[in-house]
Amino acid sequence: MSDNMKEKNLEENKELNRGETENKEAVVNNEIKETTGSVTEVYDDYEEATPPEEVTGKKKFKLKKRYIVGGVVALLVLGAIGRSIIAGKNQVTMVQTTPVVLGSIENVISISGTVQSAETKTFFSEVAAPIETLDIKVGDKVSAGDVLYSYDADALERAQKTAELAITQAKGSYNSLYSAVGAADRKYAEGMTAQQINDRLDAITAEIDALNTKITEKTNRINQTLKDLNNVALDVNQNGIADSSEFNAYGTPIFDSSSDSYIYRNESGNKDEDGNYTEPTEQDRQASLAIQQTINDVTYALKSDAEIQSWNDQITALKEEQSHLSSAKAAQVNGGTAASSKASYESTQIVQEDTIEKIEEAKGGVKAEFNGVVTEVAVVEGATVTAGTKMVTMANLDDVQVALSVSKSDLPKIAIGQNVDITINGKAYTGEVTKISGNATKNSNGVAVVETIIQVTNPDSDIILGVEATNKIHAEKADNTIVLPYEYVQTDADGDYVYVVENGLVTRKDVTVGISTSTDAQIVEGLSEGDEVITSDATMLMEGMPVAVNNM
C-alpha cells in the first residue's frame, strides 16, 4: 500500500476517535447514568426547590425512566463499521481471472427407456380349416419366410371345390332367365325397354301399310293401262277376227306372224274368188303387232316392276324385324329381376374367387413376413378355425425403437433428428430421435411427461424387446462460442451475471446463457472474447472494488 494512502487512513481514524470522545462527554454532561449489567438506565435531572404536592395538589412527580438497549454499544459498533468501510474502499483485494475464449459446448441428456418393436403383426386365419402344424411358441425368434403354421390339405381342397361350385350355381341361376332360343330375338331388343319395343312394332306396321298402299296404287295403274291396251286391240281387230283366232288370258287375240290367216278384215286386204278377204293388209298387221308388244311389256312390268319389287323387299325386312321384336317382347325379363339376379351372381363370383385365392395361398402354410419374435400364440395344433380367427402375433426385430418419457425441463432441449447413443444389455447401438408426442401424459408419480421415440438405426438379433435401454441424447450443441464453467455465472433478482476486471476494479457484466450443462454454460450475450472473468469467490466481491490479478 502507498504512503499517501496510509496517511489518509490514519487521518480518517483520528477523526473517528475524536467524534467518539465528544459523544461520550455529551452524555456525561447531560445525563445521570446507572449501569447494571448490560442495561444502562438513564434518568432526567429535575430541580426539587418546591415540592410538587404543595404547588399542584397532586402526587409527587417521579423521575421518568428511559431504557436504552445497548446504546453505547451501538455507537461503538457504528463507529467500527464506518472505519471498516472507509478502510475497505481503499484496500486492494487479490483475485484470480480467466480470459474469455471461444470453444464448444454440447448438452447430452441421459435418460432411460423401454425397447420395443416399431412394427407388430397379428395373423388372422383367411380360411376355415383344421390346423395341421403349429411349431412355434411365445419368445421364439423366426426369420422372414419361416412357416408359422399350416392347414389340413384335404380340407383346403374341399373348401376350394365348394367355392367353385358356388360360382357355377350363381351363374346358372342368372342364365336361366334368358333362354338360348330367344337369344337372337333379344339381340334386336338389346338396350330397349318394353315401351320402346311396342313403339317400334307400331312404327313397323305403319311402314308396311304405307308400302302396301304404294304397291296397290301402282299395280292398279298398270292394270288400267293393260285394260286400255286390250280395248285398243279389240278396236283394231273388230269385225275381222277369224273364228279360229286364239285369245290370251286378258281377252286379247294372239297374233301369229307365221300364220297367213290369224286376222281378216272386210274393209281391206286380199280377197278369194268368192270375194272374201283371205289375209290382212300389211298396215293392219303392223298395228296389231305393235299393240300386242305393248300389252306384253305392260304385262311383264306388272310382274317385275323394280319399284314394286323394292317395296316388297322392304316389307319382307320389316316383317322379319317385326317377328323378332315380337319374340323379344315375349322373352323379355323384368328389369328389376334381371338386375337383382346379375348382382347376386357377380357378388358370389367376387367372394368365392377371393376365397379360392386365399385357399391357394394357404396351401403352402402361413409364413413370417419379417425377422421377428413371436409375442402371442392364440390357437393350438389340431383346432378347426374359421375365417377371421386370431392366430399368431409377431414383433419385427428389424424395426426396433426405444420409448422414452421426457420431462418438461428436458423437452425444450430435444428435437427430431438428434443422434443418440443407446446401450441395450451392455451392447452399444446408435439411434435417432424420430418422434416427439404432441400430447403430455401423467406418469405414476403424477408428473407430466411427453413420449419420445428413438429409432435404433443398427438393430440386430441380440436385441431383446421389453428391456430397459440407457440413452444419451446429443441435444443442443454449439461451436466457436463463449463457454464458461457454470460456477463463474452468478444469479440474482436482475438475472445472470459475471464479474470481470476492468481498469483494476470489479465490474458486473449481465449475461445471457444459452446452452447449459451440469458444468458449463454458453454465454450468447454480455461478454466478448478477451474479457477477464474473475474466478475467485464471488461472495467476497463488490462491484467497484479495487482488485489486483494474481494468476500465479
Side-chain angles (χ1 to χ4, degrees):
M1 186 180 295
S2 65
D3 293 335
N4 291 333
M5 292 185 68
K6 289 180 180 180
E7 292 175 0
K8 186 176 180 182
N9 289 336
L10 290 173
E11 289 296 325
E12 290 176 347
N13 290 334
K14 289 178 181 180
E15 289 293 327
L16 287 171
N17 291 332
R18 282 197 294 270
E20 193 173 358
T21 301
E22 292 172 356
N23 289 335
K24 289 180 181 179
E25 292 174 352
V27 170
V28 172
N29 292 333
N30 294 300
E31 299 175 338
I32 298 173
K33 301 182 291 180
E34 288 185 4
T35 303
T36 303
S38 62
V39 178
T40 301
E41 296 180 349
V42 182
Y43 301 91
D44 289 340
D45 188 15
Y46 292 96
E47 294 183 358
E48 299 185 269
T50 304
E53 292 88 349
E54 297 178 5
V55 177
T56 62
K58 298 180 180 179
K59 291 183 179 179
K60 182 180 177 180
F61 181 80
K62 293 183 179 180
L63 293 177
K64 184 178 179 182
K65 187 184 289 184
R66 295 180 180 178
Y67 293 93
I68 306 297
V69 180
V72 175
V73 176
L75 290 174
L76 293 174
V77 171
L78 289 173
I81 291 175
R83 287 195 305 273
S84 176
I85 293 173
I86 293 171
K89 287 186 176 180
N90 294 281
Q91 183 180 356
V92 175
T93 302
M94 304 304 293
V95 295
Q96 292 183 330
T97 64
T98 184
V100 173
V101 296
L102 300 181
S104 298
I105 185 171
E106 182 179 21
N107 192 352
V108 178
I109 302 173
S110 295
I111 187 171
S112 62
T114 303
V115 180
Q116 62 186 28
S117 176
E119 179 187 9
T120 60
K121 178 177 177 62
T122 298
F123 293 83
F124 295 89
S125 179
E126 298 284 1
V127 298
I131 301 298
E132 187 172 74
T133 60
L134 180 67
D135 298 328
I136 56 173
K137 60 183 181 297
V138 173
D140 286 352
K141 291 184 178 181
V142 296
S143 301
D146 289 350
V147 176
L148 303 176
Y149 55 90
S150 63
Y151 296 96
D152 180 85
D154 293 337
L156 292 179
E157 288 294 339
R158 289 193 297 271
Q160 182 171 349
K161 186 64 176 178
T162 300
E164 292 171 349
L165 290 174
I167 295 175
T168 302
Q169 182 181 15
K171 184 177 180 180
S173 297
Y174 173 66
N175 290 339
S176 65
L177 296 174
Y178 305 96
S179 63
V181 176
D185 293 330
R186 284 193 296 272
K187 185 69 175 177
Y188 281 85
E190 188 175 12
M192 298 176 67
T193 64
Q195 184 60 47
Q196 289 173 330
I197 293 175
N198 289 333
D199 292 343
R200 179 55 185 159
L201 288 173
D202 292 342
I204 290 174
T205 300
E207 291 180 34
I208 292 174
D209 291 343
L211 291 172
N212 282 328
T213 299
K214 291 180 180 181
I215 293 172
T216 299
E217 290 176 352
K218 189 166 188 178
T219 301
N220 289 338
R221 289 196 301 271
I222 294 174
N223 285 330
Q224 184 61 46
T225 300
L226 188 60
K227 183 177 179 180
D228 292 341
L229 288 173
N230 287 328
N231 290 332
V232 170
L234 291 174
D235 289 341
V236 170
N237 294 290
Q238 65 180 347
N239 300 322
I241 299 175
D243 293 337
S244 61
S245 296
E246 297 180 0
F247 297 88
N248 60 21
Y250 299 101
T252 303
I254 300 174
F255 297 107
D256 184 3
S257 57
S258 61
S259 173
D260 293 334
S261 59
Y262 67 92
I263 187 169
Y264 298 93
R265 286 188 177 279
N266 296 325
E267 294 85 355
S268 60
N270 300 322
K271 298 178 180 179
D272 56 16
E273 296 177 353
D274 297 328
N276 297 321
Y277 290 98
T278 58
E279 60 182 15
T281 63
E282 185 60 29
Q283 182 178 358
D284 292 337
R285 184 189 296 275
Q286 293 301 323
S288 295
L289 289 174
I291 292 171
Q292 184 62 44
Q293 185 60 46
T294 302
I295 290 172
N296 291 339
D297 292 340
V298 172
T299 300
Y300 177 79
L302 185 61
K303 294 179 180 181
S304 58
D305 180 76
E307 191 172 30
I308 292 176
Q309 186 64 48
S310 173
W311 291 337
N312 283 323
D313 292 342
Q314 292 180 47
I315 290 173
T316 300
L318 288 170
K319 287 183 176 181
E320 182 179 1
E321 182 183 1
Q322 187 179 45
S323 175
H324 285 303
L325 287 176
S326 296
S327 298
K329 179 181 177 181
Q332 192 175 40
V333 179
N334 177 272
T337 302
S340 176
S341 179
K342 184 178 182 182
S344 177
Y345 163 56
E346 292 177 349
S347 175
T348 301
Q349 187 176 28
I350 292 172
V351 171
Q352 297 304 327
E353 284 180 352
D354 181 65
T355 299
I356 293 171
E357 182 180 353
K358 291 175 179 177
I359 291 173
E360 289 290 345
E361 293 175 355
K363 287 181 179 179
V366 177
K367 301 176 182 178
E369 299 177 3
F370 45 73
N371 299 325
V373 59
V374 178
T375 60
E376 182 183 8
V377 178
V379 294
V380 296
E381 188 173 285
T384 298
V385 297
T386 59
T389 301
K390 185 178 182 180
M391 305 293 286
V392 175
T393 300
M394 281 186 58
N396 193 340
L397 289 178
D398 293 332
D399 192 1
V400 179
Q401 60 188 20
V402 179
L404 313 175
S405 294
V406 179
S407 64
K408 64 179 182 180
S409 60
D410 288 332
L411 186 61
K413 305 172 186 177
I414 297 177
I416 292 176
Q418 291 172 341
N419 294 325
V420 185
D421 296 328
I422 306 171
T423 302
I424 303 174
N425 293 333
K427 188 173 182 179
Y429 297 89
T430 58
E432 179 182 339
V433 177
T434 57
K435 180 182 178 182
I436 300 174
S437 176
N439 179 57
T441 58
K442 296 289 184 68
N443 62 15
S444 58
N445 296 324
V447 178
V449 292
V450 175
E451 184 184 48
T452 300
I453 300 298
I454 297 173
Q455 185 71 34
V456 180
T457 55
N458 58 339
D460 58 25
S461 59
D462 293 335
I463 290 179
I464 298 177
L465 302 180
V467 302
E468 184 179 66
T470 57
N471 310 276
K472 291 184 177 180
I473 302 174
H474 295 269
E476 305 161 296
K477 183 178 181 181
D479 297 318
N480 296 319
T481 187
I482 296 174
V483 180
L484 290 178
Y486 222 131
E487 59 185 297
Y488 300 160
V489 181
Q490 310 302 318
T491 303
D492 61 12
D494 295 328
D496 297 325
Y497 66 94
V498 298
Y499 283 133
V500 300
V501 177
E502 288 186 350
N503 300 322
L505 300 176
V506 175
T507 302
R508 172 179 171 141
K509 291 275 190 176
D510 292 329
V511 296
T512 301
V513 176
I515 300 172
S516 62
T517 68
S518 60
T519 57
D520 296 322
Q522 176 196 22
I523 307 301
V524 296
E525 188 176 349
L527 288 179
S528 300
E529 189 176 1
D531 287 345
E532 290 291 333
V533 176
I534 298 175
T535 62
S536 302
D537 186 1
T539 61
M540 304 299 294
L541 302 176
M542 294 178 62
E543 188 172 17
M545 177 185 294
V547 293
V549 177
N550 180 13
N551 289 329
M552 295 299 294

